[in-house]
Amino acid sequence: MFKLAPSILAADFNHLGEQIEQIESAGADYLHIDVMDGMFVPSISFGMPLITSIRKNTSMVFDVHLMVKEPIRYIDDFCKAGADIITVHTEACTHLHSTIRAIKEKGKRAGVSLNPGTSLDAIRYILPEVDLVLIMTVNPGFGGQAFIPFCYQKIAETKQMIVESGSKAELEVDGGITLDNAEAVLKAGAQVLVSGSSVFNGTIEKNINAFREVFSHAAQ
Ligand code: DX5
Ligand code: ZN
């Protein structure tokens, strides 16, 4: 079963609550929440208060993507705010293993993410400990960028590495996912697709249904 994780980075923040309701009733699987610190990535997005606030109105799985330096400093805070999955970047952690442990100790699902230029070797030994691997297919920091084509091969190699290691980690892909490339990304091995612009530009429900159609086609 493929999953869709709409990224609220592309939402209209004047209508965030309503848009999350639309995402939930259209049957999206995860709510992808992009936290940017202005240090690990150039941009600043939002943090714990926003997550605490939207947590009150939805039971969706909160898939929190921390684009934050040394995220171990904030694991407790994001758990308290209502995260279900916390994904950290290997490039941002001096002690990746301790960071993953800190997430698991809180009873949350732990994810590890790689920037496009980072080698898969960076996650080889941590794979058995994580619940999710997030392959970035743009350089993180902004929504609406174009998918980097060499990432198809990287997705396929990640899938192979997960299978060979016996890890149960889900493979999520993030950045520049559109209705035009979604099927190829799934065929390369992705199980969860993050999408910002392609979900929020236009009609949310229509866009999510269109992704669902691609999912059923790719599953055949
Ligand atoms: C990029 C973020 C992505 C982004 C996806 O730094 O991690 O989740 O919001 O947006 P689109 O789908 O527009 O590339
Ligand atoms: Zn993201």
Side-chain angles (χ1 to χ4, degrees):
M1 257 305 269
F2 299 126
K3 292 178 182 166
L4 183 65
S7 163
I8 58 166
L9 192 64
D12 173 356
F13 288 97
N14 278 313
H15 301 280
L16 184 57
E18 293 151 45
Q19 294 198 330
I20 292 172
E21 277 171 28
Q22 289 169 29
I23 287 170
E24 188 165 18
S25 60
D29 303 276
Y30 296 161
L31 195 69
H32 188 81
I33 301 174
D34 285 308
V35 178
M36 300 177 178
D37 68 352
M39 293 291 287
F40 178 64
V41 290
S43 193
I44 298 175
S45 57
F46 41 72
M48 294 70 117
L50 180 131
I51 299 175
T52 307
S53 170
I54 60 175
R55 182 75 283 177
K56 294 179 189 130
N57 293 318
T58 175
S59 57
M60 285 192 80
V61 172
F62 279 11
D63 171 29
V64 178
H65 177 192
L66 294 183
M67 286 161 275
V68 170
K69 271 196 180 171
E70 302 299 350
I72 196 164
R73 297 174 293 156
Y74 301 110
I75 300 305
D76 287 1
D77 294 325
F78 282 104
C79 290
K80 279 192 197 122
D84 297 296
I85 306 169
I86 298 181
T87 297
V88 297
H89 272 260
T90 178
E91 306 89 350
C93 298
T94 305
H95 299 287
L96 178 61
H97 184 239
S98 305
T99 311
I100 296 295
R101 277 279 161 91
I103 300 169
K104 300 292 287 179
E105 275 166 15
K106 292 279 166 190
K108 304 297 178 186
R109 282 189 256 171
V112 63
S113 183
L114 294 173
N115 287 336
T118 303
S119 166
L120 283 180
D121 269 339
I123 58 164
R124 184 177 300 281
Y125 300 107
I126 206 77
L127 268 183
E129 310 248 348
V130 298
D131 303 290
L132 183 143
V133 175
L134 174 59
I135 294 295
M136 290 308 300
T137 44
V138 299
N139 290 295
F142 304 97
Q145 304 180 74
F147 183 97
I148 300 171
F150 71 64
C151 293
Y152 285 116
Q153 185 187 343
K154 189 174 183 187
I155 295 163
E157 288 174 13
T158 311
K159 179 72 189 171
Q160 194 183 350
M161 192 189 257
I162 291 173
V163 170
E164 282 172 4
S165 74
S167 161
K168 300 245 178 339
E170 275 190 315
L171 177 50
E172 184 176 50
V173 172
D174 183 7
I177 302 294
T178 65
L179 286 165
D180 292 331
N181 62 22
E183 183 159 359
V185 173
L186 295 172
K187 292 254 155 113
Q191 292 159 289
V192 186
L193 299 187
V194 175
S195 175
S197 346
S198 296
V199 165
F200 286 92
N201 291 351
T203 313
I204 291 173
E205 191 190 1
K206 218 171 110 194
N207 292 335
I208 292 181
N209 288 341
F211 270 107
R212 292 244 157 263
E213 274 176 39
V214 175
F215 287 5
S216 17
H217 201 257
Q220 283 161 20

